[in-house]
Amino acid sequence: MDQRLNKNFQMSQQRTFSLPDGEDEISLEAIFRTFKRRRGILFATIFLLMGLTALVVFQLPKEYTADVLLEIEPRTNKVIDPLAILSGLPMDTETILTEIEIIRSRALHQRVVEKLNLTRDPEFNSSLTPSTLAGLLPFLQDQETPAAAQQNEVMFNTIRALGDKLDISNNGLSRTITISVRSEDPQKAALIVNTLTDEYLNSQLEAKFDELERTSGWLTERLSDLVPASGHLLHMPSHIYVKTGRWEKAIIQNEKAMCADKVYRVLSPEQLTQHGYMTHNSHMLAYAAMMSGREEKALAAARDMWENLTEDTLRQLGPRIDRIMCSVYDVQKRFGRWDAILAEPAPPSYMPITTATWRAARAVAYAAKKDFANAENEYDAFKIAKAGISDDTPWARDLAQRVLEVSAHFIGGEIALQKGEWDKAAELLEKAAAVEDTLPYGEPPRWIQPVRHTLGAVYLKSRNYPEAERVYREDLAKWPNNGWSLYGLSRALEQQEKTEEAMEAMEKHHRIWVKADAQIATSCMCIPKT
């Protein structure tokens, strides 16, 4: 009995799995013994792998999320919207979905990438992260891809990477949208989501302004000639034209107004107040012509302001129009006619603002001719004239003094730049521009030749191209499509190797300058070439 049990036990210990014919047998006992002998190595390997996994996990960059909540304005609807009722959707649902798609658009994301320069951020531009495989196998890299194609690919991939970091959702049935951005840096996440929101809002404003401009243009075209006998009504659309940079239309509209004025003078020669409106028409034409390089038309309009006023009328009306009667000197200064300025006779003594402006123009003319002694003399004479303006002038004395304060800084800047003192010139002209920005709004503006045209030329001449770009962009924001700043902006961009933007600005300049009397090489004739 014991022998049988012992035999059975030995047989069970030696039990093996049978494999198909021709193959070895696998012994579970052998496997167990092997595992038992090597369990230390196995456990060490397992712990090592777990440690490496934990290390990799801890080394992975953390991601932070920044959110912005936008409320979309409700669309104006009819009292009952049948389509909304039939669809079962809230009336603003389609608006919300449309805005979400706009926020997701590549065009909007590209604006963010360009503004924040994300193509230089390794988090969004993976090509900036060293690739081990590419380093080991450099022949795998595309060595013949053109630079332009590489830039386009980088931009495409960066925009896509930004899109992968964005989450945009509508919050239930509300009119709110949540924009979320993930990034390794919490401050960067906040910056990106805020920039995206700003660019979205800017794009919405731009679209509305474009629509408003088209609408106003459509209305202006239809209203411009409705009262052909009224010079002032014919003139009024030009206020829209100069503000939107449509200089040729402003010229044409004021030419029509001036023709109507001539007929009116014949029919009703005894006028006083109406002469103020007529003078304003000529003044506006001179300004529009100056901004588009039409020197002959500008000077003719400025002369017309004087020629149609008798001595008696000018004495009565002069104090009320004193502030604009200096246009002749403005045109001559605009186009660099220094000798012509010096040949102009003194204005009547009862027009103190015009007299001070005449002195200022003479100081600038002498400085441009490098006659600094006479420039300083005229500068002193200007200061005396400025101080002599009466407190009871019809055109508020404080406003007159502020306009002439622009002149005071401007003259100093002109004298400095003609001496080659570029830093001093820039400092004085920056002060002049700061005062200019505080003047009440007007069309034409209170200071008719923008200071920034001269300031930008100074920055170009001193090779401070980023500041020149800033100055010209500021001026174009105030007076769109003016040819002088478009030329200066093109030069500033060109010098910074922003070739495409420079070409775009120059193309716009050529469109504005198509009827100009002469081409220019500067934004201010006091510096003939920049």
Side-chain angles (χ1 to χ4, degrees), residues 417-431:
L417 73 86
Q418 296 299 348
K419 291 180 178 180
E421 299 172 351
W422 303 114
D423 290 342
K424 181 179 179 181
E427 180 183 353
L428 290 168
L429 292 171
E430 288 281 10
K431 290 180 179 179

Side-chain angles (χ1 to χ4, degrees), residues 227-244:
V227 190
S230 171
H232 190 62
L233 290 180
L234 286 170
H235 148 88
M236 283 305 294
S238 67
H239 283 271
I240 295 175
Y241 293 145
V242 300
K243 189 55 187 171
T244 55

Side-chain angles (χ1 to χ4, degrees), residues 52-100:
L52 288 173
T53 302
L55 181 63
V56 169
V57 169
F58 282 117
Q59 289 296 321
L60 288 175
K62 296 180 180 179
E63 277 200 333
Y64 300 87
T65 302
D67 300 324
V68 163
L69 186 67
L70 283 177
E71 181 181 0
I72 306 300
E73 292 183 359
R75 183 186 58 190
T76 302
N77 289 295
K78 301 174 184 178
V79 176
I80 297 178
D81 189 338
L83 293 178
I85 294 174
L86 292 174
S87 67
L89 297 173
M91 290 185 288
D92 287 329
T93 298
E94 61 185 39
T95 302
I96 297 292
L97 295 177
T98 299
E99 298 308 310
I100 289 176

Side-chain angles (χ1 to χ4, degrees), residues 164-382:
D164 292 340
K165 298 273 189 176
L166 293 177
D167 291 307
I168 301 138
S169 60
N170 175 221
N171 302 310
L173 298 178
S174 69
R175 295 198 311 270
T176 60
I177 295 174
T178 298
I179 306 174
S180 301
V181 175
R182 303 184 305 280
S183 175
E184 301 168 2
D185 183 342
Q187 293 182 345
K188 188 195 300 183
L191 177 62
I192 293 174
V193 77
N194 287 333
T195 302
L196 178 61
T197 305
D198 289 343
E199 291 302 317
Y200 163 71
L201 296 175
N202 288 338
S203 69
Q204 296 295 90
L205 287 175
E206 289 166 6
K208 290 180 180 179
F209 284 141
D210 288 343
E211 184 63 29
L212 179 61
E213 185 174 344
R214 287 193 296 271
T215 302
S216 66
W218 182 84
L219 288 172
T220 303
E221 293 289 345
R222 282 150 185 78
L223 296 174
S224 59
D225 297 332
L226 286 180
V227 190
S230 171
H232 190 62
L233 290 180
L234 286 170
H235 148 88
M236 283 305 294
S238 67
H239 283 271
I240 295 175
Y241 293 145
V242 300
K243 189 55 187 171
T244 55
R246 302 165 75 183
W247 309 109
E248 181 61 21
K249 285 187 172 292
I251 291 171
I252 292 172
Q253 208 63 36
N254 282 287
E255 286 178 335
K256 292 178 181 179
M258 291 168 68
C259 288
D261 291 341
K262 290 179 181 178
V263 174
Y264 186 76
R265 284 193 188 98
V266 174
L267 296 174
S268 181
E270 298 298 326
Q271 289 294 326
L272 185 62
T273 301
Q274 190 63 27
H275 279 300
Y277 290 106
M278 296 176 183
T279 302
H280 176 58
N281 298 344
S282 301
H283 190 217
M284 185 75 93
L285 195 157
Y287 173 65
M290 288 167 65
M291 293 295 253
S292 54
R294 309 287 293 278
E295 179 182 2
E296 186 176 341
K297 281 187 177 292
L299 189 58
R303 296 278 187 208
D304 184 81
M305 295 169 67
W306 290 86
E307 291 171 357
N308 292 300
L309 298 174
T310 64
E311 174 69 18
D312 183 59
T313 300
L314 190 58
R315 279 186 174 276
Q316 295 181 65
L317 193 61
R320 295 168 55 188
I321 60 175
D322 188 9
R323 64 186 179 88
I324 68 173
M325 295 304 286
C326 52
S327 282
V328 170
Y329 322 129
D330 289 326
V331 173
Q332 291 168 333
K333 176 163 60 72
R334 167 83 279 178
F335 293 98
R337 305 306 180 190
W338 316 122
D339 290 332
I341 289 174
L342 297 176
E344 287 292 329
S349 59
Y350 51 82
M351 300 183 72
I353 300 172
T354 301
T355 299
T357 306
W358 173 70
R359 289 292 185 186
R362 288 172 63 83
V364 171
Y366 276 124
K369 293 169 70 67
K370 302 295 192 285
D371 186 347
F372 298 117
N374 275 318
E376 293 290 352
N377 291 337
E378 289 292 343
Y379 195 6
D380 290 339
F382 160 80

Side-chain angles (χ1 to χ4, degrees), residues 84-145:
I85 294 174
L86 292 174
S87 67
L89 297 173
M91 290 185 288
D92 287 329
T93 298
E94 61 185 39
T95 302
I96 297 292
L97 295 177
T98 299
E99 298 308 310
I100 289 176
E101 291 306 310
I102 291 173
I103 297 171
R104 286 175 176 161
S105 68
R106 291 184 57 83
L108 191 63
H109 295 178
Q110 182 170 347
R111 291 172 65 153
V112 176
V113 169
E114 291 174 346
K115 187 167 185 178
L116 298 181
N117 210 7
L118 294 182
T119 54
R120 296 188 179 181
D121 188 332
E123 183 180 355
F124 295 91
N125 181 4
S126 59
S127 65
L128 297 177
T129 304
S131 171
T132 304
L133 181 60
L136 294 174
L137 303 174
F139 58 84
L140 292 179
Q141 300 178 13
D142 186 358
Q143 301 292 341
E144 299 183 358
T145 303

